[in-house]
Amino acid sequence: MLKGAMTSLGDFVTPGGEQSRLLKQGKAKNPNKEVSFKEVKERSFTFEYTFAPKSAEETDTVYQIIKTCRWHSHPSLDGATSFKVPSEWELQFFINGRENPYIPRLRRLVCTKFDVTYGDENGFVSFEDGAPTYLTVSMGFQEVEPLHREHIEKGF
């Protein structure tokens, strides 16, 4: 027992410690580790959308999209001291009018982040009425349920 304690102390005070001692003996520490399953985390996703409206009509459409998404991303008041939960989202990916079979489906989601950047790498530019000519929306989502094998069998 004393020998083991002295070896540990030597490993502590020697430069390179245990690794150096083992290398001198022509050995290496066994890297095998045990891992135990703990939990499944809900998946998170971030999507970025860039808008560059070219007309007043397109500008109005972009602002309606942003306003609607912001509204659904935030809770409403439920009295003076509590909130009602915000909307849940269902996102789907389409190609040629059909759901894209090459992108896994997403479970129900909540929006965890909604940011709008007004302008681009060259700065802020606007139309004569002040509406930005370039906007980037960044949205973060998290699934409300963890994924398991049965979901994957169903295309999630």
Side-chain angles (χ1 to χ4, degrees):
M1 198 160 95
L2 182 60
K3 184 178 178 186
M6 294 303 290
T7 301
S8 293
L9 179 60
D11 288 347
F12 181 73
V13 297
T14 304
E18 180 184 29
Q19 182 71 21
S20 185
R21 176 178 55 80
L22 290 172
L23 282 173
K24 288 178 186 173
Q25 298 172 3
K27 299 178 181 178
K29 188 172 182 174
N30 186 342
N32 292 336
K33 298 178 183 176
E34 289 188 27
V35 177
S36 61
F37 179 79
K38 293 179 185 173
E39 64 182 318
V40 176
K41 301 262 185 195
E42 291 79 9
R43 297 184 297 174
S44 295
F45 307 92
T46 301
F47 299 100
E48 258 189 33
Y49 303 95
T50 300
F51 297 98
K54 302 291 183 212
S55 66
E57 183 181 344
E58 286 183 7
T59 299
D60 289 341
T61 301
V62 168
Y63 275 90
Q64 286 306 312
I65 291 169
I66 290 171
K67 184 177 179 180
T68 300
C69 289
R70 286 183 66 222
W71 189 89
H72 283 285
S73 298
H74 292 84
S76 60
L77 286 173
D78 188 21
T81 60
S82 61
F83 291 108
K84 290 183 180 178
V85 296
S87 301
E88 289 186 355
W89 299 66
E90 290 184 11
L91 301 181
Q92 295 174 295
F93 303 96
F94 284 82
I95 185 163
N96 299 324
R98 296 181 327 194
E99 194 166 3
N100 190 333
Y102 298 103
I103 299 177
R105 293 170 48 205
L106 303 178
R107 308 274 300 148
R108 290 176 302 127
L109 305 157
V110 290
C111 185
T112 57
K113 175 184 102 158
F114 190 90
D115 295 324
V116 180
T117 302
Y118 300 94
D120 61 9
E121 65 274 354
N122 298 318
F124 180 80
V125 178
S126 69
F127 293 109
E128 287 183 14
D129 65 355
T133 60
Y134 193 90
L135 304 99
T136 302
V137 174
S138 180
M139 299 178 76
F141 293 95
Q142 183 174 345
E143 288 181 322
V144 297
E145 298 176 284
L147 198 65
H148 53 73
R149 290 180 182 167
E150 288 76 13
H151 293 132
I152 293 171
E153 290 171 1
K154 294 177 181 174
F156 290 96

